[in-house]
Each structure stands twice: as structure tokens, then as C-alpha cells.
Amino acid sequence: MSEACQAHAGSTAGDSSDARDFHVQCSSEVSMSKDGRKSRHSPPLFMYLMAGCAALNSTNIGFDIGVSSGMAVILQEQWQLTDGQIGQFMSSIAFMAALGGLSSQGVSDRLGRRWTFAVTQATLLVGLAIQVSAVSFIMVMVGRLIVGLAVGFGLAVDPLYIAELAPAEHRGRLTSWPEIAINFGILLGFFVNWAFADIDHAISWRLMAAMGAILPTILLVLSLAVMPESPRWLISKERGDEATAVLRSSHSQSHDVASIVEAIKSEISEDQSNGSSGWVPLLCPDKVTRKLLLVGIGIAVAQQITGVDSVVAYSPTIFKRGHVATTDASLFAVTMLVGFVKLAFIVLAAHYMDTKGRRPLLIFSTSASAVCLAALALALALNISWLSVFAVCSYVAAFSLGIGPITWLMAAEIFPSKIRAKSMSLATFVNRCTSGIVTLTFLPLSDAMGGQAQYFTLFAALTVLTAVFACVVVPETKQQTLEQLHQQMGKMTHHADP
């Protein structure tokens, strides 16, 4: 799939994955060299280094998800927390991330991408410091809420920064780095849980949280001393000479930087024109837009009602209650296996999405996930430890191969430019809120239903519904321009009308 025409979402920092959508607007285009030929040169080393710096932010986010699972197990034992309190602890990040994502556009557009990185890391460090020094559950929760706000900012700014800096023909690949980095961070968090498992529990959970300050500190220094500002933001502030200098560093010599600058100026003007209509196109959509919103928002909700955050965030709890391990060290070692499988399959998905198509992978992913959740429910009901581990690992593999990464790619591809910014913002908000609800209710709901077996039976059924949704409603978007896709959706809508 071509990865050109990608500057559109630069004004939409509040949209956690909007930066990943640029390559769909002009799917037949690639960057042009100075002599007018298609440019396929690898980006300079500088571009890879800056993409790596930005991806550190996503590693921070994944680390918090992973390490929180171990902290929850220890905190519940140490402070005798109820299942409801653990649900609040685990879900607070998602709810605050939803709010942080909505507000990040104003911060990013006002301060710039580079300073948004710095503010995000500083906010994250404050939240972590409060958690580490907490003497009560309320104090821990204050720190968690601040960390969640920083996560919301981070979900938006890192793919956005990479997309605005990268050459068009490499943006699709480079903007997948944050997704991979999140999963690497989850694995890293699981590793830290294991490393500190045998330390006195009165301090081990504090050490787990404190380890999360290492990468933010590094990125804070990098954002202030090394990383340049986004060319698009510089141009929007009429600092064209600085933007040109940055583009010359991030693009190979064959690129016509002057033409890229002019294209960015034109796209900024178009975005400002599209933004003047506000929320009206979403609140009063026509039939085709209504269908597009159903697909884009629907798949964002579907991703979370598969119960993924319950499985990943509570994997130590699931294995503990399933009698998989007898010590915390062995318990966290098993969760590391889950993190490794999830990371491996997200990398595999990045390869196959452009060759196999989105829809087949989505249907396979949701169907296989439903089977795995049913197997997990059976394993927990019959107390079969090895089957619990196999089912969880198979589930995260199936999820990561399809609905995990494809959710945001398809949502970005399916929304037209005039509503993409706000539609992606809405999809992200709904997705994070759904995640928060699922995570908040996991322990209380499983207890109310009689156990984790019944809980995962329910989510297996809900995942079957997501597979049906994918089969009936979701179109294929691979190698289609927006015009072709919207024409297809229009025909489907008219055909459905009585």
C-alpha cells in the first residue's frame, strides 16, 4: 500500500492514531524527487533516530500497562484492597487518557510537538513520584490520574510527530513504531514485575512504579536538547526557514523540500477550511457519513468489548486464581510469556496487513479471539492450568494479528478528511472509555457472575458479535482511495434503503 499524502492530520494532535491515516488519502502517490521521478530512498539515519525517540513515549505507556498488573496483585495483598478498589486502580489510566487525548490538540497546537513531549514526560514524572511516595490508596489514585492524563497526551503526539517529520513513502512504516513500542513496553513492565517479585512487598510495588521514571527522564532530556520541532507546526507558525532545515535533515537529498513545504502550506489551509464546520457533520450526518461513523466508531468499541484489557492488565490475577503458579516470581514469569507473544504478533501483523487485507485479518482475529476466550473459560472452570496459559497466549496472538492494530488503521482510512480529525477524536474517546469500563468491572463482575469462567464466557459471546459485525458491516479498505471507498459505501447505503 502506498504511504503518501500524509500531512493532513498534523492539526489533530488530539486524535491518538490520526497520524497513522495519512497514507490513505492519495494511495497512488509517493514522494517525488527533484527530477520528478518516484523516490524510494531510505530515510536518513536522523529520521530513524527521531522516530525512535518519539516511540520511547509509547514504550512508557506500555510499561505502565504491564507494571500495573503486578502492582495490583501486591497492593491488594499489602493494603487489603477490595476488588472494586483494584478496578479503580487499573481503569483510572484509561478514563484519564480519554480526557487527555481530547485536550491534547490544544496543548500540541499551542506549545508545539516538541514541548508537548516535554510536558507529557514532566506530567508523567509527577504522577509517578506521587505513586511511589503514597501512604494511602487515595494518594496512589491521585498519582494514577495524573499518569493517565500524560498517557492521553502521549497517545496523540508520538505518531503525529513521526508522521509530520517522515518522508511520505516511509510514514506508514515509521508510524507503526509507536504501536510496536507500546507492546514492547508491556513486555518490559512484565519483566520488571518478575525482577522485583521476591523483594519485600512493602517496597517492591514502589520500586516497580519507580522504574517507570527512567524512560520519561531520558525522553524529557531528548525532547529539550535533541529532537527538532515538527515542520508542519513550524510552517503553521510562519517559521518556514526552520521547517525547511528540519525537512532537509529528515529527508534524503533526492526530495524536493521546497515542494513539500508548499504542499504542507496548502494542506494547512485546507484543514483550516474543513475545521470551520465544527461538529455539525458528525451530529447531523448524511446517510453515507452515518455508515462511515458506524464502521469507524463501531470497530473502536468492538476492539475493547473483546475483553483485551481484562486479559492483559489482569493476566497475573487470572493466572493466580487459575492456580497456574505458586509464587509471585513464577506468576510474573508466565505473564512475561504473554507479553512476548503479544509483541511478536503485532510485528507480524504489520507485515501482513498490506498483503492480506484488513477485512480478512479482522474477521479471522475476532473469530479466533472468541474461540480462545471460550477455551480460557473452560480452562478456568475445570482448573486446567496449562490450558489457561495456552488460551491467554493464543488470545493475545489472535488479537494482535488483527483487531488490535487494524482498528485504528481502518478507522483512519474510512473517515473523509472533512470529519477525520473529530471522528478519530471521538473514536479514541469512546475506545478509552470502553476500555476503562471493562477494566473497572472485571473483578466485581466476575465475582458477581460466580467466577472468571462465567466472565470470559460472556466476553467470548460478545467477541462473536464483533466477528459478525466485521463480516456484515466492515468493508475492505486496502488499496482503495477515499473516493472509491466512499462510492462503495454510498452504493451499500442506497441498496439498503427501502
Side-chain angles (χ1 to χ4, degrees):
M1 179 182 63
S2 174
E3 295 149 351
C5 274
Q6 308 202 24
H8 166 269
S11 62
T12 61
D15 311 324
S16 69
S17 295
D18 201 32
R20 303 169 190 163
D21 72 340
F22 301 125
H23 62 286
V24 304
Q25 294 193 52
C26 302
S27 61
S28 63
E29 296 181 25
V30 293
S31 290
M32 302 303 291
S33 62
K34 293 177 181 178
D35 59 5
R37 293 179 298 180
K38 292 180 179 180
S39 174
R40 291 291 186 183
H41 294 283
S42 296
L45 176 61
F46 174 84
M47 184 62 243
Y48 285 116
L49 293 175
M50 294 306 101
C53 289
L56 281 178
N57 192 51
S58 288
T59 307
N60 295 336
I61 296 169
F63 179 86
D64 184 82
I65 296 171
V67 83
S68 294
S69 64
M71 290 174 61
V73 171
I74 295 174
L75 281 172
Q76 188 164 29
E77 294 176 354
Q78 284 295 111
W79 289 0
Q80 300 300 306
L81 301 180
T82 67
D83 286 347
Q85 287 174 313
I86 291 298
Q88 294 168 25
F89 174 83
M90 297 298 290
S91 64
S92 55
I93 295 290
F95 286 124
M96 288 304 295
L99 296 177
L102 285 179
S103 61
S104 65
Q105 179 176 355
V107 175
S108 181
D109 285 348
R110 184 171 293 106
L111 299 181
R113 316 318 186 209
R114 187 169 68 95
W115 275 100
T116 300
F117 273 118
V119 170
T120 297
Q121 305 319 304
T123 305
L124 190 59
L125 289 170
V126 170
L128 289 172
I130 294 174
Q131 285 189 76
V132 171
S133 61
V135 294
S136 67
F137 178 69
I138 293 177
M139 194 171 174
V140 168
M141 287 301 298
V142 170
R144 294 284 289 177
L145 293 174
I146 294 174
V147 168
L149 190 65
V151 167
F153 289 158
L155 283 171
V157 71
D158 44 343
L160 176 69
Y161 178 83
I162 295 173
E164 292 183 342
L165 202 64
E169 68 272 21
H170 298 288
R171 281 183 186 136
R173 177 163 52 91
L174 290 173
T175 53
S176 70
W177 284 22
E179 187 74 26
I180 295 172
I182 288 176
N183 286 274
F184 176 73
I186 291 173
L187 177 59
L188 194 61
F190 287 161
F191 173 79
V192 168
N193 290 341
W194 171 79
F196 292 107
D198 291 332
I199 296 177
D200 181 3
H201 282 186
I203 62 170
S204 61
W205 68 269
R206 299 181 191 274
L207 292 174
M208 291 174 181
M211 290 299 101
I214 296 175
L215 289 179
T217 301
I218 294 173
L219 186 52
L220 179 61
V221 173
L222 290 174
S223 63
L224 294 176
V226 177
M227 298 170 69
E229 183 51 81
S230 153
R232 184 184 176 92
W233 186 83
L234 291 171
I235 291 172
S236 72
K237 302 302 180 183
E238 299 183 353
R239 294 161 62 179
D241 291 342
E242 295 176 57
T244 299
V246 174
L247 288 168
R248 292 191 190 283
S249 298
S250 63
H251 290 60
S252 65
Q253 293 183 356
S254 64
H255 286 88
D256 186 351
V257 172
S259 296
I260 295 174
V261 170
E262 291 303 315
I264 292 174
K265 289 180 179 178
S266 175
E267 287 156 359
I268 289 174
S269 177
E270 180 182 351
D271 288 344
Q272 290 172 344
S273 176
N274 288 334
S276 63
S277 59
W279 287 87
V280 173
L282 272 70
L283 298 177
C284 303
D286 57 33
K287 291 181 179 179
V288 175
T289 301
R290 192 179 302 119
K291 178 75 171 181
L292 298 176
L293 289 171
L294 173 63
V295 174
I297 305 297
I299 196 173
V301 174
Q303 185 198 57
Q304 291 303 318
I305 63 172
T306 60
V308 62
D309 282 357
S310 293
V311 174
V312 174
Y314 287 102
S315 54
T317 302
I318 294 170
F319 293 144
K320 184 176 182 179
R321 296 188 179 185
H323 309 291
V324 170
T326 56
T327 67
D328 286 342
S330 58
L331 184 68
F332 295 145
V334 177
T335 62
M336 277 199 296
L337 175 63
V338 175
F340 177 79
V341 170
K342 195 171 189 301
L343 175 62
F345 276 85
I346 203 76
V347 173
L348 188 64
H351 173 71
Y352 281 108
M353 277 190 293
D354 282 346
T355 58
K356 301 299 183 183
R358 290 82 159 103
R359 191 170 182 272
L361 283 178
L362 185 64
I363 294 172
F364 169 79
S365 173
T366 50
S367 301
S369 294
V371 172
C372 294
L373 287 173
L376 177 58
L378 178 65
L380 292 170
L382 301 179
N383 198 24
I384 306 175
S385 300
W386 69 265
L387 182 58
S388 297
V389 177
F390 178 78
V392 169
C393 289
S394 298
Y395 170 79
V396 297
F399 178 88
S400 298
L401 195 58
I403 193 170
I406 287 175
T407 291
W408 298 116
L409 178 59
M410 288 200 71
E413 287 177 329
I414 208 164
F415 292 132
S417 60
K418 67 179 181 180
I419 65 168
R420 182 174 295 123
K422 291 181 173 60
S423 297
M424 287 296 295
S425 183
L426 179 60
T428 303
F429 179 80
V430 171
N431 176 272
R432 290 295 84 203
C433 286
T434 307
S435 169
I437 292 170
V438 170
T439 309
L440 175 66
T441 59
F442 170 64
L443 291 176
L445 184 57
S446 60
D447 289 342
M449 295 179 68
Q452 292 182 149
Q454 292 85 341
Y455 177 91
F456 286 113
T457 299
L458 169 63
F459 273 84
L462 291 175
T463 305
V464 169
L465 295 180
T466 67
V468 173
F469 176 82
C471 287
V472 176
V473 178
V474 179
E476 178 58 76
T477 60
K478 181 174 77 80
Q479 295 181 347
Q480 290 196 69
T481 65
L482 284 179
E483 291 74 18
Q484 292 171 335
L485 179 61
H486 296 163
Q487 184 179 24
Q488 174 189 343
M489 298 293 285
K491 289 180 180 178
M492 291 171 61
T493 302
H494 294 315
H495 181 72
D497 288 339

